[in-house]
Amino acid sequence: MSEMKVFRKLDALRAFRRENRDGHWGLVPTMGFLHPGHLELVRRARADHPREDGGRVAVSLFVNPTQFGEPEDLAHYPRALERDLQLLEEAGVDLVFCPSDEDMYPPGFQTYVHLEHVTQPLEGASRPTHFRGVATVLAKLFNLVQPDRAYFGQKDAQQTVVVRRLVKDLDFDLEVVVCPTVREADGLAMSSRNARLSEPQRAAAPVLFRTLQIARQALEEGERDGDLLRQRMRQEIRSEPLAELDYVSVADPDTLLELPVIGTSALLSLAVSFGAVRLIDNLPIDDLKPINSEPIAE
Ligand code: AMP
């Protein structure tokens, strides 16, 4: 197995990339504290970029300060660099980039990438500078690593919409690949933040996925009224005493605007806090039957 290269410095990474122009590169941007959800993106990137074809897989581990609103949340974000490096080596990654905050944002830094409409609802409403930080760090990572493909999880649905838009609008020459959400056995979407849940909070957390499934089932049974679906979702979250609701949404998957009436597709999403830990989840729904179609015979 060829050795995994670890770069902490931007200049060293750029120099290596200049000397290694051949083959296609896949990039998996992460904030580290890796779990099987991240490793699934890595596996997919490796499969798409086989070594025998000169393919390379790069992973970034960087807890990006500009995408955190509350300094508290940033300070408590879990980290485990040595363990992450070991997992990535085992996963057959070629290159890891783990820069310092000071190198990514040196004194005098003042250029941010701002997307307009798609960053405003959902996560953007609760975290107004979050996507500015996400778009800025991704633009920097794309420039530094110059990947042919970049891999993202459906888990962060709005982020996938933002990154597609960013790549299109700023002409990044790469393909965005979105991979399905990896879940625990009880349906909880894997997240580095889950490690911060207390035992009772962890036991209550599957309420997110349960709520999404209830809404999906209602849609499948023919409910098309957005307000009623959102109301049903709120009701389910409120039935869980440890859960504090931030938002529920039944939105257009492209514009992310709330749908009054659902047609053939929708993005169901929600954000819920358990104490200081804020969790998000979503379920993309497509190919719903048009409203007036005949019910399927059993
Ligand atoms: P993060 O480290 O949370 O910034 O996540 C890095 C990447 O992994 C993002 O594209 C996430 O959407 C993705 N990701 C995180 N959790 C999951 C999961 N449970 N399933 C699939 N992808 C995930």
mmCIF file of all heavy atoms in Angstrom, residues 28-32 34-38 40-41 67 77 151-156 159-160 179-183 189-193, ligand 1:
data_model
loop_
_atom_site.group_PDB
_atom_site.id
_atom_site.type_symbol
_atom_site.label_atom_id
_atom_site.label_comp_id
_atom_site.label_asym_id
_atom_site.label_seq_id
_atom_site.Cartn_x
_atom_site.Cartn_y
_atom_site.Cartn_z
ATOM 1 N N VAL A 28 -12.796 14.667 -0.255
ATOM 2 C CA VAL A 28 -13.861 14.557 0.744
ATOM 3 C C VAL A 28 -13.575 15.591 1.835
ATOM 4 O O VAL A 28 -12.701 15.377 2.680
ATOM 5 C CB VAL A 28 -13.912 13.136 1.358
ATOM 6 C CG1 VAL A 28 -15.075 13.041 2.351
ATOM 7 C CG2 VAL A 28 -14.041 12.070 0.276
ATOM 8 N N PRO A 29 -14.303 16.712 1.818
ATOM 9 C CA PRO A 29 -14.086 17.713 2.883
ATOM 10 C C PRO A 29 -14.818 17.306 4.158
ATOM 11 O O PRO A 29 -16.000 16.967 4.113
ATOM 12 C CB PRO A 29 -14.715 19.000 2.309
ATOM 13 C CG PRO A 29 -15.045 18.705 0.876
ATOM 14 C CD PRO A 29 -15.216 17.215 0.794
ATOM 15 N N THR A 30 -14.114 17.324 5.294
ATOM 16 C CA THR A 30 -14.752 16.986 6.579
ATOM 17 C C THR A 30 -14.204 17.894 7.686
ATOM 18 O O THR A 30 -13.168 18.530 7.513
ATOM 19 C CB THR A 30 -14.472 15.528 7.038
ATOM 20 O OG1 THR A 30 -13.181 15.481 7.670
ATOM 21 C CG2 THR A 30 -14.509 14.545 5.890
ATOM 22 N N MET A 31 -14.907 17.838 8.807
ATOM 23 C CA MET A 31 -14.406 18.522 10.000
ATOM 24 C C MET A 31 -13.818 17.507 10.982
ATOM 25 O O MET A 31 -13.592 17.828 12.155
ATOM 26 C CB MET A 31 -15.521 19.329 10.651
ATOM 27 C CG MET A 31 -16.034 20.426 9.709
ATOM 28 S SD MET A 31 -16.794 21.802 10.556
ATOM 29 C CE MET A 31 -18.170 20.990 11.328
ATOM 30 N N GLY A 32 -13.593 16.285 10.507
ATOM 31 C CA GLY A 32 -12.943 15.286 11.355
ATOM 32 C C GLY A 32 -13.878 14.649 12.362
ATOM 33 O O GLY A 32 -15.093 14.750 12.246
ATOM 34 N N LEU A 34 -14.157 11.397 12.690
ATOM 35 C CA LEU A 34 -14.794 10.612 11.632
ATOM 36 C C LEU A 34 -15.675 9.485 12.167
ATOM 37 O O LEU A 34 -15.374 8.870 13.187
ATOM 38 C CB LEU A 34 -13.711 10.038 10.720
ATOM 39 C CG LEU A 34 -12.822 11.088 10.056
ATOM 40 C CD1 LEU A 34 -11.738 10.398 9.220
ATOM 41 C CD2 LEU A 34 -13.634 12.040 9.189
ATOM 42 N N HIS A 35 -16.744 9.239 11.447
ATOM 43 C CA HIS A 35 -17.660 8.130 11.752
ATOM 44 C C HIS A 35 -17.980 7.431 10.425
ATOM 45 O O HIS A 35 -17.544 7.893 9.358
ATOM 46 C CB HIS A 35 -18.916 8.663 12.466
ATOM 47 C CG HIS A 35 -19.632 9.753 11.733
ATOM 48 N ND1 HIS A 35 -20.237 9.557 10.499
ATOM 49 C CD2 HIS A 35 -19.822 11.064 12.017
ATOM 50 C CE1 HIS A 35 -20.788 10.675 10.090
ATOM 51 N NE2 HIS A 35 -20.541 11.622 10.983
ATOM 52 N N PRO A 36 -18.762 6.346 10.470
ATOM 53 C CA PRO A 36 -19.012 5.597 9.230
ATOM 54 C C PRO A 36 -19.667 6.417 8.111
ATOM 55 O O PRO A 36 -19.523 6.070 6.932
ATOM 56 C CB PRO A 36 -19.926 4.452 9.686
ATOM 57 C CG PRO A 36 -19.533 4.224 11.111
ATOM 58 C CD PRO A 36 -19.253 5.603 11.659
ATOM 59 N N GLY A 37 -20.366 7.508 8.443
ATOM 60 C CA GLY A 37 -20.940 8.368 7.403
ATOM 61 C C GLY A 37 -19.844 8.999 6.555
ATOM 62 O O GLY A 37 -19.893 8.989 5.321
ATOM 63 N N HIS A 38 -18.820 9.553 7.241
ATOM 64 C CA HIS A 38 -17.681 10.125 6.517
ATOM 65 C C HIS A 38 -16.966 9.038 5.708
ATOM 66 O O HIS A 38 -16.567 9.257 4.568
ATOM 67 C CB HIS A 38 -16.640 10.692 7.494
ATOM 68 C CG HIS A 38 -17.124 11.823 8.350
ATOM 69 N ND1 HIS A 38 -17.264 11.716 9.706
ATOM 70 C CD2 HIS A 38 -17.466 13.094 8.037
ATOM 71 C CE1 HIS A 38 -17.663 12.865 10.213
ATOM 72 N NE2 HIS A 38 -17.805 13.730 9.218
ATOM 73 N N GLU A 40 -18.022 6.404 4.451
ATOM 74 C CA GLU A 40 -18.762 5.993 3.260
ATOM 75 C C GLU A 40 -18.432 6.936 2.076
ATOM 76 O O GLU A 40 -18.297 6.494 0.932
ATOM 77 C CB GLU A 40 -20.269 5.994 3.581
ATOM 78 C CG GLU A 40 -21.177 5.566 2.466
ATOM 79 C CD GLU A 40 -20.857 4.171 1.901
ATOM 80 O OE1 GLU A 40 -20.259 3.346 2.605
ATOM 81 O OE2 GLU A 40 -21.194 3.943 0.722
ATOM 82 N N LEU A 41 -18.290 8.227 2.363
ATOM 83 C CA LEU A 41 -17.894 9.173 1.299
ATOM 84 C C LEU A 41 -16.491 8.820 0.793
ATOM 85 O O LEU A 41 -16.221 8.854 -0.409
ATOM 86 C CB LEU A 41 -17.879 10.620 1.798
ATOM 87 C CG LEU A 41 -19.129 11.229 2.451
ATOM 88 C CD1 LEU A 41 -18.943 12.729 2.637
ATOM 89 C CD2 LEU A 41 -20.365 10.977 1.649
ATOM 90 N N GLN A 67 -17.566 28.872 9.921
ATOM 91 C CA GLN A 67 -18.939 28.397 9.746
ATOM 92 C C GLN A 67 -19.670 28.190 11.065
ATOM 93 O O GLN A 67 -20.822 27.762 11.081
ATOM 94 C CB GLN A 67 -18.983 27.135 8.888
ATOM 95 C CG GLN A 67 -18.456 25.882 9.544
ATOM 96 C CD GLN A 67 -18.338 24.749 8.542
ATOM 97 O OE1 GLN A 67 -17.538 24.804 7.615
ATOM 98 N NE2 GLN A 67 -19.152 23.717 8.711
ATOM 99 N N TYR A 77 -16.659 21.450 19.695
ATOM 100 C CA TYR A 77 -16.701 20.503 18.579
ATOM 101 C C TYR A 77 -15.664 19.404 18.831
ATOM 102 O O TYR A 77 -14.502 19.687 19.102
ATOM 103 C CB TYR A 77 -16.436 21.205 17.239
ATOM 104 C CG TYR A 77 -16.953 20.364 16.098
ATOM 105 C CD1 TYR A 77 -18.290 20.422 15.716
ATOM 106 C CD2 TYR A 77 -16.121 19.446 15.459
ATOM 107 C CE1 TYR A 77 -18.773 19.604 14.716
ATOM 108 C CE2 TYR A 77 -16.608 18.629 14.452
ATOM 109 C CZ TYR A 77 -17.933 18.715 14.090
ATOM 110 O OH TYR A 77 -18.414 17.891 13.109
ATOM 111 N N TYR A 151 -17.024 15.148 -2.699
ATOM 112 C CA TYR A 151 -18.043 14.263 -2.131
ATOM 113 C C TYR A 151 -18.685 14.885 -0.899
ATOM 114 O O TYR A 151 -17.987 15.354 0.005
ATOM 115 C CB TYR A 151 -17.401 12.913 -1.768
ATOM 116 C CG TYR A 151 -16.968 12.187 -3.015
ATOM 117 C CD1 TYR A 151 -15.773 12.521 -3.642
ATOM 118 C CD2 TYR A 151 -17.784 11.226 -3.596
ATOM 119 C CE1 TYR A 151 -15.394 11.899 -4.817
ATOM 120 C CE2 TYR A 151 -17.413 10.593 -4.778
ATOM 121 C CZ TYR A 151 -16.221 10.941 -5.382
ATOM 122 O OH TYR A 151 -15.848 10.337 -6.552
ATOM 123 N N PHE A 152 -20.024 14.832 -0.876
ATOM 124 C CA PHE A 152 -20.783 15.420 0.228
ATOM 125 C C PHE A 152 -21.891 14.460 0.638
ATOM 126 O O PHE A 152 -22.351 13.650 -0.171
ATOM 127 C CB PHE A 152 -21.390 16.761 -0.200
ATOM 128 C CG PHE A 152 -20.330 17.774 -0.509
ATOM 129 C CD1 PHE A 152 -19.807 17.875 -1.790
ATOM 130 C CD2 PHE A 152 -19.817 18.579 0.490
ATOM 131 C CE1 PHE A 152 -18.787 18.777 -2.073
ATOM 132 C CE2 PHE A 152 -18.799 19.486 0.218
ATOM 133 C CZ PHE A 152 -18.287 19.586 -1.065
ATOM 134 N N GLY A 153 -22.346 14.578 1.894
ATOM 135 C CA GLY A 153 -23.408 13.706 2.397
ATOM 136 C C GLY A 153 -24.768 14.378 2.261
ATOM 137 O O GLY A 153 -24.894 15.578 2.512
ATOM 138 N N GLN A 154 -25.770 13.563 1.935
ATOM 139 C CA GLN A 154 -27.159 14.049 1.910
ATOM 140 C C GLN A 154 -27.564 14.545 3.297
ATOM 141 O O GLN A 154 -28.446 15.386 3.426
ATOM 142 C CB GLN A 154 -28.078 12.910 1.446
ATOM 143 C CG GLN A 154 -29.562 13.236 1.462
ATOM 144 C CD GLN A 154 -29.914 14.387 0.536
ATOM 145 O OE1 GLN A 154 -29.358 14.511 -0.564
ATOM 146 N NE2 GLN A 154 -30.827 15.242 0.974
ATOM 147 N N LYS A 155 -26.909 14.021 4.327
ATOM 148 C CA LYS A 155 -27.168 14.424 5.719
ATOM 149 C C LYS A 155 -27.282 15.949 5.840
ATOM 150 O O LYS A 155 -28.114 16.467 6.577
ATOM 151 C CB LYS A 155 -26.030 13.883 6.590
ATOM 152 C CG LYS A 155 -25.763 14.581 7.888
ATOM 153 C CD LYS A 155 -26.666 14.050 8.934
ATOM 154 C CE LYS A 155 -26.627 14.816 10.242
ATOM 155 N NZ LYS A 155 -25.513 15.675 10.489
ATOM 156 N N ASP A 156 -26.397 16.679 5.132
ATOM 157 C CA ASP A 156 -26.445 18.141 5.166
ATOM 158 C C ASP A 156 -27.057 18.624 3.851
ATOM 159 O O ASP A 156 -26.360 19.077 2.941
ATOM 160 C CB ASP A 156 -25.033 18.691 5.375
ATOM 161 C CG ASP A 156 -24.478 18.254 6.715
ATOM 162 O OD1 ASP A 156 -24.833 18.868 7.725
ATOM 163 O OD2 ASP A 156 -23.737 17.256 6.758
ATOM 164 N N GLN A 159 -26.500 22.114 2.495
ATOM 165 C CA GLN A 159 -25.104 22.260 2.066
ATOM 166 C C GLN A 159 -24.908 21.719 0.645
ATOM 167 O O GLN A 159 -24.148 22.276 -0.143
ATOM 168 C CB GLN A 159 -24.196 21.531 3.050
ATOM 169 C CG GLN A 159 -22.743 21.533 2.654
ATOM 170 C CD GLN A 159 -21.860 21.034 3.784
ATOM 171 O OE1 GLN A 159 -21.493 21.781 4.673
ATOM 172 N NE2 GLN A 159 -21.526 19.761 3.764
ATOM 173 N N THR A 160 -25.606 20.631 0.313
ATOM 174 C CA THR A 160 -25.451 20.078 -1.044
ATOM 175 C C THR A 160 -26.020 21.049 -2.082
ATOM 176 O O THR A 160 -25.465 21.188 -3.167
ATOM 177 C CB THR A 160 -26.111 18.684 -1.201
ATOM 178 O OG1 THR A 160 -27.527 18.823 -1.136
ATOM 179 C CG2 THR A 160 -25.632 17.694 -0.168
ATOM 180 N N CYS A 179 -23.775 11.591 -1.461
ATOM 181 C CA CYS A 179 -23.952 10.205 -1.004
ATOM 182 C C CYS A 179 -25.054 10.132 0.059
ATOM 183 O O CYS A 179 -25.231 11.084 0.827
ATOM 184 C CB CYS A 179 -22.649 9.697 -0.394
ATOM 185 S SG CYS A 179 -21.272 9.820 -1.536
ATOM 186 N N PRO A 180 -25.778 9.002 0.124
ATOM 187 C CA PRO A 180 -26.899 8.874 1.063
ATOM 188 C C PRO A 180 -26.481 9.007 2.522
ATOM 189 O O PRO A 180 -25.327 8.728 2.866
ATOM 190 C CB PRO A 180 -27.435 7.456 0.815
ATOM 191 C CG PRO A 180 -26.800 6.975 -0.427
ATOM 192 C CD PRO A 180 -25.574 7.789 -0.676
ATOM 193 N N THR A 181 -27.431 9.395 3.356
ATOM 194 C CA THR A 181 -27.176 9.528 4.799
ATOM 195 C C THR A 181 -26.980 8.156 5.432
ATOM 196 O O THR A 181 -27.792 7.256 5.235
ATOM 197 C CB THR A 181 -28.376 10.232 5.472
ATOM 198 O OG1 THR A 181 -28.553 11.495 4.834
ATOM 199 C CG2 THR A 181 -28.160 10.421 6.961
ATOM 200 N N VAL A 182 -25.911 8.013 6.192
ATOM 201 C CA VAL A 182 -25.658 6.772 6.933
ATOM 202 C C VAL A 182 -26.247 6.940 8.338
ATOM 203 O O VAL A 182 -26.018 7.965 8.997
ATOM 204 C CB VAL A 182 -24.145 6.473 7.001
ATOM 205 C CG1 VAL A 182 -23.877 5.208 7.814
ATOM 206 C CG2 VAL A 182 -23.569 6.338 5.587
ATOM 207 N N ARG A 183 -26.998 5.919 8.780
ATOM 208 C CA ARG A 183 -27.734 6.017 10.038
ATOM 209 C C ARG A 183 -27.326 4.930 11.033
ATOM 210 O O ARG A 183 -26.864 3.872 10.635
ATOM 211 C CB ARG A 183 -29.246 5.872 9.763
ATOM 212 C CG ARG A 183 -29.772 6.949 8.866
ATOM 213 C CD ARG A 183 -31.267 6.821 8.565
ATOM 214 N NE ARG A 183 -31.638 7.934 7.696
ATOM 215 C CZ ARG A 183 -31.839 9.173 8.122
ATOM 216 N NH1 ARG A 183 -31.780 9.437 9.414
ATOM 217 N NH2 ARG A 183 -32.114 10.142 7.270
ATOM 218 N N ALA A 189 -29.313 9.753 12.346
ATOM 219 C CA ALA A 189 -28.270 10.031 11.361
ATOM 220 C C ALA A 189 -26.937 10.167 12.079
ATOM 221 O O ALA A 189 -26.843 10.853 13.105
ATOM 222 C CB ALA A 189 -28.597 11.322 10.613
ATOM 223 N N MET A 190 -25.904 9.498 11.562
ATOM 224 C CA MET A 190 -24.597 9.603 12.212
ATOM 225 C C MET A 190 -24.090 11.032 12.112
ATOM 226 O O MET A 190 -24.238 11.675 11.073
ATOM 227 C CB MET A 190 -23.620 8.639 11.569
ATOM 228 C CG MET A 190 -23.967 7.218 11.912
ATOM 229 S SD MET A 190 -22.648 6.114 11.431
ATOM 230 C CE MET A 190 -23.364 4.567 11.979
ATOM 231 N N SER A 191 -23.514 11.504 13.205
ATOM 232 C CA SER A 191 -22.994 12.861 13.254
ATOM 233 C C SER A 191 -21.929 12.929 14.339
ATOM 234 O O SER A 191 -22.066 12.271 15.386
ATOM 235 C CB SER A 191 -24.131 13.834 13.607
ATOM 236 O OG SER A 191 -23.589 15.080 14.009
ATOM 237 N N SER A 192 -20.898 13.721 14.095
ATOM 238 C CA SER A 192 -19.860 13.887 15.118
ATOM 239 C C SER A 192 -20.477 14.461 16.391
ATOM 240 O O SER A 192 -19.984 14.217 17.501
ATOM 241 C CB SER A 192 -18.762 14.815 14.608
ATOM 242 O OG SER A 192 -18.303 14.369 13.352
ATOM 243 N N ARG A 193 -21.558 15.225 16.237
ATOM 244 C CA ARG A 193 -22.202 15.859 17.399
ATOM 245 C C ARG A 193 -22.912 14.845 18.304
ATOM 246 O O ARG A 193 -23.176 15.146 19.465
ATOM 247 C CB ARG A 193 -23.217 16.900 16.932
ATOM 248 C CG ARG A 193 -22.579 18.132 16.336
ATOM 249 C CD ARG A 193 -23.622 19.216 16.123
ATOM 250 N NE ARG A 193 -23.007 20.521 15.991
ATOM 251 C CZ ARG A 193 -22.578 21.037 14.838
ATOM 252 N NH1 ARG A 193 -22.717 20.367 13.728
ATOM 253 N NH2 ARG A 193 -22.023 22.237 14.819
HETATM 254 P P1 AMP B 1 -18.763 17.194 8.666
HETATM 255 O O1 AMP B 1 -17.502 16.621 9.180
HETATM 256 O O2 AMP B 1 -19.903 17.110 9.605
HETATM 257 O O3 AMP B 1 -18.570 18.568 8.066
HETATM 258 O O4 AMP B 1 -19.189 16.279 7.447
HETATM 259 C C1 AMP B 1 -18.340 16.077 6.355
HETATM 260 C C2 AMP B 1 -19.118 15.451 5.229
HETATM 261 O O5 AMP B 1 -19.643 14.195 5.660
HETATM 262 C C3 AMP B 1 -20.327 16.310 4.805
HETATM 263 O O6 AMP B 1 -20.472 16.274 3.398
HETATM 264 C C4 AMP B 1 -21.465 15.612 5.485
HETATM 265 O O7 AMP B 1 -22.704 15.801 4.829
HETATM 266 C C5 AMP B 1 -21.027 14.172 5.422
HETATM 267 N N1 AMP B 1 -21.717 13.399 6.454
HETATM 268 C C6 AMP B 1 -21.775 13.677 7.783
HETATM 269 N N2 AMP B 1 -22.556 12.775 8.404
HETATM 270 C C7 AMP B 1 -23.005 11.927 7.460
HETATM 271 C C8 AMP B 1 -23.859 10.791 7.468
HETATM 272 N N3 AMP B 1 -24.426 10.346 8.596
HETATM 273 N N4 AMP B 1 -24.111 10.157 6.300
HETATM 274 C C9 AMP B 1 -23.558 10.600 5.150
HETATM 275 N N5 AMP B 1 -22.741 11.666 5.068
HETATM 276 C C10 AMP B 1 -22.469 12.318 6.207
#
